[in-house]
Amino acid sequence: MQGTTVLNSISIKIGLLFSAVFLTLLLILCSILYGVFTNLFVDFVTNDLLVRGINHAKALEDDYSGKMIEHVLSMERGGTTQVVITDKNKKILGSSVSPNQEMKNHILKNSKKNSNEILDNDWNKDKYMVTISTVGQNNGYIYLFYPTDVLRETVFVLKMLIIVTSIGTVFLGFGLIGFLSRKITKPLVIMKDATNKIAIGKYRQKIPSKGNDEIAQLSNAIERLGEQLQFYEDSRNEFLTAVSHELRTPLTYIKGYSDILNKGIVKNHEEQTEYLSIINKEATRVAFLVADLFEMSKLQVGEFQLNKDMANVNSIIERVAMTLRPVAEKKGIKLDIKLSPQIPEIDIDYKRIEQVIYNIIENAIKYTDYGEVKVHSYLQNEYVMIEINDSGIGIPKQEIPKIWDRFYRIDKSRARKTGGSGLGLYIAKQIVNSHNGEIMAKSIENHGSTFMIYLPKK
């Protein structure tokens, strides 16, 4: 099991891949060097033999006497090359060594006239590399024999040098490949450990990265993912706490007052009516919370649908204002409505847009302690605009991008007093986006907020 894990290591895989490529290239390079050196050496020897034979032939061309023949032979004695001089009928006139049978065979089977050629250069099989040079106008021949065992010994030494050098290079290369593969894969191993920690709930991870390459970008992406998961985990916990609080309070009221009514211990009809009103109010509060949760679940599973029809947003605003004006007046807040008569009917889901407008105006009233809430409608280019402005507590600048997230609530301590699940603006944004519109917010902390809804005319 441990061996399998080692083989599955990415550093081992990269090392093996690089090693295979390195070995292949090294073998190709060694083969090329071996072939090039061998061919160059063979060409050098044969050409040298041929040139020397031609020079000897020129020396004998004017004086083919025994004395001159002996002079030529003496020039080659003691060296590696062996020379044999014959007349035109292949009769041996002199040689630097006593000719053996193989040398005689080369002389006898040659029948060329007036030639200066390489007779044999197969150094790997034959005993000699042989050249022939013609003296004058077919006065005789000079044969030069170079023992191939000398060449084979030289090639063998070269082969050994290449092998020893290759072995050293392989060990050095493997060490370098191992170092580089570990260095390359080290960030990946760190990221693997970080993702394993994220998988068990340790979301915030710091992954060291340098530069701006793909690995550094992946490290940053994992860090951002961890931050997002931590944010959603915190939001979920806060949401569950808020929901449990939101449910517990109204359910406590409902249970308490229903017990009183059930036991018949009310004093009079007015008290009974008051208790029933409280039960109704708290049941409505639970219904709104459940509705928000239901809307969110539909958005999550992709079952959110629109039932569009032609409608005028002014009528929606008036309907919502009529519902919420008593709430505003109870807090001493003025609800100012200014609607443009030029607003045309547009293709919208009436109830969904009403839900959006209701949610934003209700929030404006909820987070405004004094002053007024203004709601305006007007045309702007190709959009019907709905602008809702309040003089409330406002939103910190750095928090504005987050207000559209699920479960997000700016002032959590105040939210416990004012209620709310943190889903309203998230649902509102999804509804507006599904109408190909846009919803934006701008705010100054402690001076109020402005929400702008853009709905396309077409």
Side-chain angles (χ1 to χ4, degrees):
M1 189 71 177
Q2 187 176 0
T4 303
T5 304
V6 171
L7 289 176
N8 286 332
S9 169
I10 189 168
S11 60
I12 297 297
K13 290 180 179 179
I14 292 177
L16 290 175
L17 176 63
F18 285 174
S19 299
V21 173
F22 174 74
L23 285 175
T24 303
L25 293 176
L26 183 62
L27 287 173
I28 293 172
L29 179 61
C30 290
S31 299
I32 292 173
L33 288 174
Y34 177 78
V36 168
F37 178 82
T38 303
N39 290 333
L40 286 175
F41 191 47
V42 170
D43 288 344
F44 171 78
V45 171
T46 53
N47 288 329
D48 179 64
L49 290 176
L50 196 59
V51 169
R52 285 158 60 194
I54 292 171
N55 290 333
H56 291 327
K58 287 180 179 179
L60 292 172
E61 185 175 350
D62 297 327
D63 185 4
Y64 206 34
S65 63
K67 185 177 180 180
M68 184 56 106
I69 290 173
E70 183 60 29
H71 173 70
V72 170
L73 294 176
S74 66
M75 291 175 64
E76 297 293 346
R77 284 193 181 101
T80 305
T81 307
Q82 299 161 11
V83 60
V84 176
I85 302 174
T86 70
D87 61 12
K88 60 182 179 180
N89 295 318
K90 308 290 181 69
K91 180 182 178 181
I92 298 175
L93 301 178
S95 63
S96 60
V97 295
S98 179
N100 57 35
Q101 189 58 45
E102 186 166 346
M103 295 169 70
K104 292 178 180 179
N105 290 339
H106 277 292
I107 295 171
L108 292 174
K109 71 181 179 181
N110 175 56
S111 59
K112 299 193 177 195
K113 306 288 186 181
N114 300 321
S115 61
N116 296 294
E117 296 183 10
I118 299 169
L119 294 181
D120 190 353
N121 64 351
D122 191 352
W123 63 273
N124 209 21
K125 294 181 180 179
D126 297 335
K127 189 175 181 179
Y128 295 101
M129 296 174 68
V130 186
T131 64
I132 181 173
S133 300
T134 305
V135 180
Q137 296 296 320
N138 197 24
N139 293 329
Y141 302 98
I142 297 176
Y143 294 88
L144 291 178
F145 296 87
Y146 187 87
T148 55
D149 57 351
V150 176
L151 183 58
R152 280 194 288 270
E153 287 175 5
T154 304
V155 171
F156 176 77
V157 171
L158 172 66
K159 192 183 294 184
M160 290 297 101
L161 285 173
I162 290 176
I163 291 173
V164 171
T165 304
S166 299
I167 292 173
T169 306
V170 166
F171 280 110
L172 180 63
F174 279 4
L176 182 61
I177 287 170
F179 172 75
L180 290 176
S181 63
R182 286 185 177 276
K183 190 171 182 63
I184 291 170
T185 57
K186 184 179 179 181
L188 300 178
V189 173
I190 293 173
M191 284 186 274
K192 182 202 73 170
D193 294 338
T195 53
N196 286 338
K197 291 177 181 178
I198 288 174
I200 60 174
K202 298 178 180 179
Y203 299 120
R204 285 196 174 94
Q205 296 295 322
K206 185 64 179 175
I207 304 175
S209 61
K210 297 180 181 179
N212 194 34
D213 57 14
E214 289 82 355
I215 292 180
Q217 292 172 11
L218 180 59
S219 299
N220 295 332
I222 292 174
E223 285 188 11
R224 290 195 301 271
L225 174 63
E227 291 293 333
Q228 284 292 320
L229 289 173
Q230 186 64 58
F231 167 72
Y232 283 120
E233 176 73 9
D234 294 341
S235 299
R236 183 181 67 87
N237 292 335
E238 290 169 4
F239 166 74
L240 292 175
T241 302
V243 168
S244 62
H245 174 79
E246 291 294 312
L247 287 174
R248 187 185 301 113
T249 302
L251 289 176
T252 301
Y253 279 116
I254 292 171
K255 185 177 184 305
Y257 287 110
S258 61
D259 283 344
I260 293 173
L261 292 172
N262 188 49
K263 294 175 181 178
I265 53 177
V266 293
K267 297 178 180 179
N268 49 50
H269 181 71
E270 287 76 14
E271 188 175 355
Q272 180 180 358
T273 302
E274 181 185 355
Y275 291 167
L276 289 172
S277 176
I278 293 172
I279 291 172
N280 181 264
K281 177 182 175 182
E282 297 303 327
T284 302
R285 184 176 170 185
V286 172
F288 274 122
L289 179 60
V290 172
D292 280 348
L293 294 173
F294 184 63
E295 292 291 342
M296 185 195 72
S297 67
K298 287 197 292 184
L299 287 168
Q300 291 295 101
V301 299
E303 295 181 355
F304 186 77
Q305 295 180 347
L306 297 177
N307 296 313
K308 289 186 175 182
D309 203 353
M310 300 303 293
N312 193 305
V313 296
N314 284 349
S315 63
I316 300 175
I317 295 171
E318 289 173 345
R319 178 184 174 93
V320 172
M322 184 175 63
T323 304
L324 291 176
R325 184 167 276 111
V327 180
E329 291 175 351
K330 188 176 181 179
K331 290 188 68 174
I333 297 168
K334 180 183 178 181
L335 189 57
D336 182 22
I337 308 295
K338 291 183 180 179
L339 307 177
S340 171
Q342 299 177 347
I343 299 294
E345 288 191 342
I346 56 176
D347 192 24
I348 55 175
D349 186 323
Y350 189 96
K351 289 187 176 180
R352 296 292 187 185
I353 296 300
E354 181 181 4
Q355 180 182 358
V356 172
I357 296 171
Y358 184 97
N359 185 286
I360 296 175
I361 296 177
E362 183 189 38
N363 278 350
I365 296 171
K366 187 185 298 183
Y367 292 104
T368 300
D369 293 327
Y370 58 88
E372 61 182 351
V373 174
K374 299 177 181 179
V375 184
H376 296 171
S377 69
Y378 54 93
L379 290 178
Q380 187 179 84
N381 299 326
E382 298 300 316
Y383 290 93
V384 171
M385 295 289 300
I386 305 168
E387 186 174 301
I388 302 165
N389 177 270
D390 65 62
S391 57
I393 61 174
I395 305 168
K397 184 177 180 180
Q398 69 275 13
E399 302 288 332
I400 291 177
K402 302 176 183 178
I403 63 176
W404 312 107
D405 293 338
R406 289 173 298 168
F407 316 131
Y408 188 78
R409 293 183 299 176
I410 300 164
D411 188 346
K412 297 172 179 59
S413 61
R414 179 161 184 150
R416 282 192 289 270
K417 299 175 183 178
T418 57
S421 60
L423 292 171
L425 291 179
Y426 167 76
I427 294 170
K429 187 172 182 64
Q430 302 306 313
I431 292 173
V432 173
N433 288 349
S434 66
H435 282 81
N436 297 319
E438 191 172 356
I439 182 169
M440 297 189 300
K442 58 183 180 179
S443 182
I444 299 175
E445 195 170 5
N446 299 320
H447 287 81
S449 304
T450 300
F451 284 80
M452 293 155 290
I453 302 170
Y454 295 75
L455 293 174
K457 290 195 294 184
K458 297 181 181 180

